[in-house]
Amino acid sequence: MTVEIRGPHFVQSFERGLAVLRAFDADHQQLTLSEVGRACGMTRATARRFLLTLADLGYVHTDGRLFRLTPRVLELGYSYLASFTLPEIAEPHLEQLVAHVRESSSLCVLDGDDVVYVARVPTRRIMSAAITVGTRFPAHVTSVGRVMLADLPDDGIDAWLDRADLRPNTSQTLTSPRALRAELVRVRRQGYALVDQELEEGLRSVAAPVRDRDGTVVAGVNIAVHAGRNSVESVRRDLLPHLLATVARIEADLWITGPARAASHGKGAGAGR
């Protein structure tokens, strides 16, 4: 048996923390304490300390029994991942879409109860807030957030509604858990979400989910427009078909290269406004 020699500088606890992160992969997206302990060769109590520390830092999420990584782990290797990620795959397609419809488009993933912008092609500024890669908004007020939340199973939607902070952004924001649940069921059935001035007055957006080869929603793509120039009907008629065609092209590239899980944490990743 070969024993690897470590230098005096070596920090074993750091190595073990990284081992905990590496225990999660495409086939093991959610793990219990015991499973992490076995995978890393450590006791359940030791695994628990590492996992709870990572949860405190935002790299791991837990429901009390199962643990999974969050998109924040991308910060640890962003320079490398940027060479081959879902945002990079999607960006040429977003550029083509924006050139055709002359409206802004974005790719987002779901991080907890927020959507996070991971790619964006703007045309003109139509929001009071500047939108850049890394911008976050509450998922429930965005079209991309809704297409990702709609991919949750029914009990997952109920759990989200129980904990979500449904404060309104505008007078039109849906804040009733019952109404939001009905809307998510409708979004799941129709395959897209249209949000009318719920994030910001004067802003309409339509979004569609991006699915990996397993059919899991890993992100969402949206088109955002000014309400004064685009009615709800025109958004559905003139923009939605182009959006759905763009998402289909992104998925075709994604299924060939297969890096979806490098850009999201699996269940629920989305774009939105």
Side-chain angles (χ1 to χ4, degrees):
M1 179 178 175
T2 302
V3 177
E4 191 170 356
I5 306 287
R6 306 291 192 184
H9 61 275
F10 191 79
V11 181
Q12 188 177 31
S13 60
F14 185 69
E15 178 191 35
R16 299 176 84 185
L18 291 176
V20 169
L21 290 176
R22 289 197 297 268
F24 299 87
D25 58 27
D27 296 322
H28 304 89
Q29 295 180 49
Q30 298 188 94
L31 296 170
T32 65
L33 285 173
S34 298
E35 288 170 339
V36 171
R38 284 196 298 271
C40 300
M42 60 182 67
T43 66
R44 189 175 183 276
T46 300
R48 180 177 183 274
R49 289 197 297 273
F50 279 111
L51 285 165
L52 293 182
T53 298
L54 290 167
D56 287 345
L57 294 172
Y59 295 114
V60 168
H61 172 77
T62 180
D63 61 6
R65 189 181 76 86
L66 292 172
F67 294 80
R68 60 173 170 79
L69 300 182
T70 73
R72 184 163 290 181
V73 298
L74 295 181
E75 296 173 355
L76 302 176
Y78 181 79
S79 296
Y80 174 74
L81 289 172
S83 67
F84 195 53
T85 63
L86 175 56
E88 184 167 279
I89 289 171
E91 191 161 345
H93 298 290
L94 299 184
E95 290 173 350
Q96 183 180 5
L97 173 64
V98 169
H100 188 80
V101 302
R102 302 193 180 282
E103 300 288 355
S104 300
S105 181
S106 304
L107 175 83
C108 300
V109 297
L110 191 65
D111 183 15
D113 296 335
D114 295 336
V115 293
V116 181
Y117 284 69
V118 295
R120 176 167 169 77
V121 179
T123 51
R124 60 184 71 84
R125 183 167 171 177
I126 57 176
M127 290 189 67
S128 60
I131 305 296
T132 60
V133 170
T135 295
R136 308 171 72 95
F137 288 119
H140 73 285
V141 297
T142 67
S143 58
V144 284
R146 289 184 184 173
V147 295
M148 291 184 281
L149 290 170
D151 190 53
L152 296 172
D154 289 342
D155 57 353
I157 291 176
D158 291 338
W160 169 74
L161 287 170
D162 286 343
R163 72 168 188 272
D165 180 1
L166 301 180
R167 69 182 66 182
N169 275 46
T170 74
S171 61
Q172 300 194 58
T173 303
L174 283 181
T175 57
S176 160
R178 184 173 182 177
L180 268 172
R181 194 184 196 288
E183 177 64 14
L184 293 179
V185 170
R186 183 173 69 158
V187 167
R188 181 195 294 166
R189 182 177 64 250
Q190 67 189 14
Y192 69 91
L194 199 158
V195 169
D196 185 11
Q197 304 183 77
E198 295 188 49
L199 174 61
E200 183 172 301
E201 297 285 354
L203 180 72
R204 291 191 173 113
S205 69
V206 61
V210 177
R211 298 181 182 275
D212 65 13
R213 284 176 293 194
D214 298 327
T216 300
V217 174
V218 294
V221 174
N222 80 337
I223 299 174
V225 302
H226 195 286
R229 298 192 307 269
N230 300 267
S231 67
V232 170
E233 293 73 20
S234 70
V235 169
R236 286 199 181 98
R237 181 188 66 243
D238 301 330
L239 300 180
L240 179 59
H242 297 294
L243 174 65
L244 295 176
T246 297
V247 167
R249 289 191 289 269
I250 292 171
E251 289 178 338
D253 286 354
L254 180 62
W255 297 351
I256 293 171
T257 57
R261 301 187 193 284
S264 72
H265 57 72
K267 201 68 173 171
R273 259 202 316 192

